[in-house]
Amino acid sequence: MTSIARDLPAAPRADREAVAARQARARRRLLGRGLLYAAAVLLALWVLFPIYLITITAFSPRDAVYDYPKQLIPGTFSAETMRFFVDAEGVLGALWNSVLVAVVTLIFSTLIGAPAGYALARFAFRGRDAFRLIVLSTRAFPIVILSIPLAVSFIEWGIYDTVWSVALMHTALALPFTVLITSSIFISVPRDLEEAALTLGCTPATAFVKVVLPLALPGLAAASIFTFVLSWNEVFAAVILTLRERTLPALVLAALNQSPVPFRLAAGWFMLAPSLIFIFVIRRYLLGLWGRVSR
Amino acid sequence: MAEIRLQGITKIFDKKVRAVDEVDLTIADQEFMVLLGPSGCGKTTLMRMIAGLEYPEYGRVSIGNRDVTDLPPRRRDISMVFQSYAVFPHLTVFDNVAFGLRMKNVTKAEIKRRVEGAAELVQLGPYLERYPAQLSGGQRQRVAVARAIVMEPAVLLMDEPLSNLDALLRLNFRAELKRLVGELKTTTIYVTHDQVEAMSLGDRIAVMREGRIVQCGTPMEIYDRPATQFVGSFIGSPPMNFLRGRIERSNGHVQVGLGDQTLTAPSTLAGRSAGEVLVGIRAENIEAEAAPAAGAIAARTEVVEPLGSHLLVTAAVGDQRLKIQARTDFPAQPDAPLWLRPEPDKLRWFDPESGQELDAR
Ligand SMILES: Nc1ncnc2c1ncn2[C@@H]1O[C@H](COP(=O)(O)OP(=O)(O)OP(=O)(O)O)[C@@H](O)[C@H]1O
Ligand SMILES: [Mg+2]
C-alpha cells in the first residue's frame, strides 16, 4: 500500500503530460459545448422574445400596451384586447378563410409538385435540367403583373373573391419550391430500396407507397410547413384577389392603418398562433420518424 | 426448372461506356454460378439485367425457357441481395424479411414460420424486432440475405452478400450458404471479387474483365488452366507466376530460354515462329532445392515469408521474379542461391502480346 502511494507522484513524466493534454482537451471540448449552447440560447431568444412580448401584450389590459418600461412578467391577465379583436367585423371569417386557403394550397401543391419532384429525382428525361430552371424562373415573374390578368380570369371563371382563387394563386407561388424540395427529398431516398421492393413483388406504384413514401414523409412534412407558412403569410395576392372573402393577413393589412396599437398586437398574435400550432404538430411527427430511421 | 440463358447481352451507359459487352452465358438449372472479376468490370450491371432492373441495349435474357427481357422484376421469379444491402430502414427486421411474402399474400402463420426459419439460418433470431439502424453492417447484410432466401425463388441473385462479415463469420456463413442453396434447389448467381469465395462456392466460375467474360469453367479448370494471363494472375494467392522467355530450337527439341538457362517446352510450340513466349506456373507447382540438380533452374532467394503451413519464397531468375511455395523445413536464406524444378505438366504457355493461352497440348 504505502509503496504504491509513494510511487504515484513519481509517475513517468510522459504519463503526466498525457494526462495534462487529456485534461486540456476535455476543457476545450467543454468550452466548445458551452459556446454552442450559448449560441443556441441566443438564437432561440432572438426568435422567442418578440413572440413572448406580443403574447403577453395581447393578453394584458389595453392600457398596458403603453406602459414604459415594459413589464416582462405579465401583470394582470385580460382577454379584453383579444376579445375586442376577435369580435371585430370579419375576423373569424378571415381566420377560417386563411386556414382553408393554406390547407387547399398544401393539398394542391403536394398533389402537383410531389410527382414533378419525383420525376426530377428519378428519371433522366430529355430537358430535365431545363425543366428545373424553368420551374424556378416562374418565381422571377412579378406577382404584380400577374395579378391583374389573373383577377380578370378568375372573374370570368366565377371564382373571384373566393377561397379557391387565392389557393390557386398560392399554389402557383408555392409550386417551384415544392417541386425542388420534394425532388431533393426523393433523391435522398436510396434508389436501391425501391429496386429491392421491385424484386420483392412490388409494382412501381406499390414500391412507392410502401417504401419511398414512408421514408420521404419526414421531408414532405417539413416541406408542408414551408408551404403552409408561405400561404398563411402571403398578403399581396390575397388583397388583390379578394374583396369580402379576405384571408386574415389581407384583412389585417386593410384594417391595420386605422386601428389602435392593441388591436395590431392582438392581430399579430392571432396570425402567429395557428402557424405555430401547425409547426408543432408536424414537428413532433417529423422528429418521431427521423429519430427512428436515421442514425 | 430455371435455366438462365444470356445471349449477346450488352449494356451501354451514357452512350459510350460498355459496362457489359456481348455476354453469352448459359447457367444450368440449380447451378451455382459465380461471377468473379475486379471492381468495375460489370458484375453488378450484368446481375441487374438478369433481375430486370436494367434494360440491355442488345441481347436477350431468358429464365426457364421464357424470354424475360421485357418483363419487370416481379414477373421473373427472382430475388436479389443488393451490394448495398438495401434493407428497408423504416421496417423491423421481421417486416423486412416478411416484405416479399406479404406481397405474395402468404398467410400470416406461414409468414411467421418462414421468416423465423430464415432468421434462424442467418443467426438473426434475437434481432427480429429491431430496426436496421440498430444493427451492425454485417447484421444488415444478413437481413438482406434472409429477405432474399425466404422467397424461395427460382433464381437467387447475390451481389457480394458476405463482403461485410468478419473473417470467421464469413467462413461459417459461406458453408451455411452453400448447404442452404443446395437445399433450396434454386439457380444461383453469386457476385464476388474474392477468389477464395468463388472457388469454394461455385459449381462454375465466370471470370469477367471490362464487361466481357474471359473464361467460364469449374473452379479447378479455371485454377489449373487459366485461359489468359489475366485469369492466372487474378485467381490464386499468390497469383500465377509469369516468366518471359525466347523460343529456341536445338537439335530437334524446342526449348524456352530464360536468360542463360533453358526450359524444355512442348513440341507444339515449335509451330510458333521463334519469338517470345510467356510461361505460367503456380507457386505450389515448383519444387525448391537447396543444391544444384539436373534440369533445375538456378535462382537467387530474395524474400522468405513464413506462412505457418509453408514458406512463401520470392526468388529471382535473371531479372524476373517469381513466388514459390516451399516446405517449412526448407533452408531458405535471403540472397542464398536455390534451384527450382517446375512440374513439367503444370507449365502453361501464353502469348506475351495478347495474354491468351497457347494451345500447347
Ligand atoms: N448507372 C450507371 N451509369 C453510368 N455508368 C455506370 C452505371 N452503373 C455502372 N456504371 C459503370 O459500369 C461499369 C461496371 O459497373 P458495375 O457496378 O457493374 O461494376 P462491378 O463489377 O459490380 O464492380 P464492383 O466490384 O466494384 O461492385 C463501371 O465502369 C461503372 O462505372
Ligand atoms: Mg458491384
Side-chain angles (χ1 to χ4, degrees):
Chain A
M1 274 297 278
T2 49
S3 84
I4 290 173
R6 240 197 339 266
D7 282 352
L8 256 182
R13 226 181 59 177
D15 265 15
R16 256 179 297 151
E17 273 169 7
V19 168
R22 204 170 325 126
Q23 277 168 351
R25 247 196 325 273
R27 262 200 304 277
R28 263 202 305 280
R29 204 160 38 224
L30 213 63
L31 191 70
R33 278 217 136 206
L35 280 178
L36 190 72
Y37 277 113
V41 167
L42 205 70
L43 269 177
L45 279 181
W46 182 264
V47 174
L48 289 180
F49 190 62
I51 295 180
Y52 176 72
L53 268 190
I54 290 175
T55 308
I56 59 166
T57 336
F59 286 99
S60 300
R62 242 192 265 192
D63 21 332
V65 172
Y66 302 106
D67 280 356
Y68 196 85
K70 279 260 168 285
Q71 215 82 50
L72 277 190
I73 296 134
T76 41
F77 171 84
S78 153
E80 183 196 359
T81 330
M82 241 16 246
R83 195 168 321 123
F84 174 77
F85 173 74
V86 172
D87 287 347
E89 181 73 26
V91 166
L92 281 184
L95 173 71
W96 179 237
N97 282 346
S98 266
V99 171
L100 266 187
V101 167
V103 169
V104 172
T105 303
L106 196 60
I107 294 173
F108 277 6
S109 63
T110 308
L111 283 185
I112 304 170
Y118 184 77
L120 269 181
R122 283 291 191 261
F123 304 120
F125 52 89
R126 195 186 297 270
R128 177 167 67 168
D129 295 334
F131 178 72
R132 214 189 290 263
L133 260 180
I134 290 168
V135 163
L136 205 58
S137 68
T138 52
R139 279 317 298 260
F141 203 82
I143 315 176
V144 192
I145 299 179
L146 202 61
S147 295
I148 309 300
L150 257 181
V152 174
S153 297
F154 286 159
I155 290 172
E156 274 173 20
W157 299 346
I159 56 168
Y160 181 76
D161 199 16
T162 63
V163 164
W164 299 105
S165 62
V166 186
L168 278 182
M169 184 68 196
H170 286 180
T171 303
L173 291 178
L175 261 182
F177 293 107
T178 316
V179 171
L180 296 182
I181 292 176
T182 52
S183 104
S184 66
I185 292 165
F186 287 130
I187 283 176
S188 74
V189 176
R191 180 102 178 97
D192 285 0
L193 297 181
E194 219 173 330
E195 290 178 342
L198 292 181
T199 64
L200 290 168
C202 284
T203 63
T206 47
F208 181 83
V209 172
K210 284 182 175 286
V211 174
V212 181
L213 206 55
L215 291 171
L217 223 44
L220 293 179
S224 77
I225 291 181
F226 183 84
T227 310
F228 187 92
V229 171
L230 185 136
S231 163
W232 186 260
N233 286 337
E234 201 287 328
V235 67
F236 191 87
V239 166
I240 294 187
L241 295 177
T242 56
L243 283 175
R244 275 159 301 148
E245 295 293 322
R246 292 286 197 209
T247 60
L248 197 55
L251 180 84
V252 169
L253 186 79
L256 217 56
N257 287 333
Q258 301 109 44
S259 23
V261 175
F263 187 88
R264 295 184 198 180
L265 282 166
W269 189 84
F270 219 71
M271 291 279 317
L272 196 64
S275 52
L276 279 185
I277 292 171
F278 180 81
I279 290 173
F280 269 106
V281 169
I282 294 281
R283 197 192 73 115
R284 167 178 306 170
Y285 184 55
L286 205 127
L287 288 184
L289 266 175
W290 267 336
R292 199 169 68 207
V293 169
S294 63
R295 165 159 132 140
Chain B
M1 275 301 288
E3 179 192 75
I4 302 170
R5 189 171 305 145
L6 308 177
Q7 292 167 302
I9 292 290
T10 300
K11 180 73 206 176
I12 304 171
F13 285 118
D14 308 327
K15 298 213 169 74
K16 51 184 187 292
V17 185
R18 282 185 169 251
V20 172
D21 198 0
E22 297 202 21
V23 164
D24 293 300
L25 188 63
T26 302
I27 301 157
D29 182 38
Q30 299 186 27
E31 190 177 22
F32 197 120
M33 172 66 82
V34 174
L35 296 180
L36 178 67
S39 188
C41 68
K43 307 181 294 290
T44 298
T45 308
L46 182 59
M47 183 169 266
R48 286 169 57 82
M49 286 191 285
I50 299 169
L53 295 170
E54 209 84 66
Y55 191 82
E57 262 71 39
Y58 306 104
R60 310 301 295 175
V61 180
S62 57
I63 297 177
N65 288 324
R66 193 164 59 117
D67 187 326
V68 298
T69 319
D70 297 307
L71 293 183
R74 66 177 189 282
R75 298 258 167 78
R76 295 187 177 202
D77 199 6
I78 51 119
S79 61
M80 179 160 173
V81 179
F82 287 70
Q83 191 167 9
S84 57
Y85 329 143
V87 168
F88 304 129
H90 60 299
L91 299 179
T92 60
V93 172
F94 185 95
D95 291 335
N96 260 286
V97 180
F99 190 93
L101 296 175
R102 292 206 172 117
M103 292 308 298
K104 287 211 303 200
N105 292 322
V106 178
T107 63
K108 249 193 155 119
E110 172 81 356
I111 289 179
K112 189 169 152 60
R113 192 181 60 74
R114 276 165 73 174
V115 168
E116 280 170 0
E120 205 50 53
L121 241 138
V122 298
Q123 300 171 27
L124 276 176
Y127 304 105
L128 280 174
E129 295 313 315
R130 291 222 194 156
Y131 284 95
Q134 304 162 316
L135 298 178
S136 72
Q139 287 166 336
R140 277 182 238 182
Q141 202 156 33
R142 282 181 275 157
V143 175
V145 172
R147 191 177 64 182
I149 57 177
V150 82
M151 299 298 293
E152 298 176 8
V155 174
L156 183 58
L157 304 169
M158 294 195 270
D159 198 347
E160 311 211 13
L162 306 186
S163 59
N164 257 288
L165 305 184
D166 63 58
L168 187 65
L169 197 55
R170 197 175 175 139
L171 208 67
N172 292 337
F173 208 52
R174 196 167 75 198
E176 199 67 14
L177 200 65
K178 191 166 183 171
R179 186 184 63 75
L180 176 78
V181 168
E183 278 173 16
L184 282 182
K185 300 201 187 312
T186 65
T187 309
T188 306
I189 303 186
Y190 186 102
V191 164
T192 180
H193 52 230
D194 178 339
Q195 41 110 4
V196 180
E197 215 167 277
M199 301 277 297
S200 77
L201 284 174
D203 292 327
R204 277 195 300 159
I205 300 175
V207 184
M208 292 187 67
R209 182 192 196 186
E210 290 170 4
R212 291 167 180 273
I213 291 182
V214 283
Q215 187 175 9
C216 179
T218 65
M220 280 330 287
E221 271 167 29
I222 299 228
Y223 188 82
D224 267 351
R225 300 202 60 86
T228 68
Q229 183 186 5
F230 167 78
V231 177
S233 51
F234 194 74
I235 302 220
S237 169
M240 189 176 239
N241 295 302
F242 292 97
L243 299 173
R244 237 165 220 281
R246 290 178 320 277
I247 298 180
E248 292 165 356
R249 275 186 205 90
S250 65
N251 49 38
H253 293 289
V254 184
Q255 292 183 324
V256 168
L258 302 167
D260 49 5
Q261 315 189 59
T262 56
L263 263 176
T264 324
S267 51
T268 40
L269 275 188
R272 278 177 72 79
S273 53
E276 297 223 305
V277 72
L278 216 50
V279 189
I281 178 85
R282 293 214 174 262
E284 68 269 26
N285 296 329
I286 305 174
E287 190 88 34
E289 310 263 0
I297 301 171
R300 194 171 41 80
T301 310
E302 287 201 329
V303 183
V304 182
E305 298 167 73
L307 295 182
S309 61
H310 60 268
L311 300 178
L312 187 61
V313 179
T314 308
V317 174
D319 55 358
Q320 309 195 70
R321 246 148 229 94
L322 73 173
K323 295 205 186 280
I324 302 135
Q325 202 170 302
R327 288 184 314 278
T328 41
D329 57 2
F330 183 75
Q333 285 295 327
D335 273 336
L338 82 170
W339 284 263
L340 308 175
R341 211 206 308 259
E343 293 174 39
D345 60 334
K346 296 288 188 186
L347 290 173
R348 301 286 173 255
W349 309 90
F350 299 87
D351 183 303
E353 265 82 57
S354 65
Q356 295 289 330
E357 189 186 17
L358 299 171
D359 190 13
R361 273 184 279 197

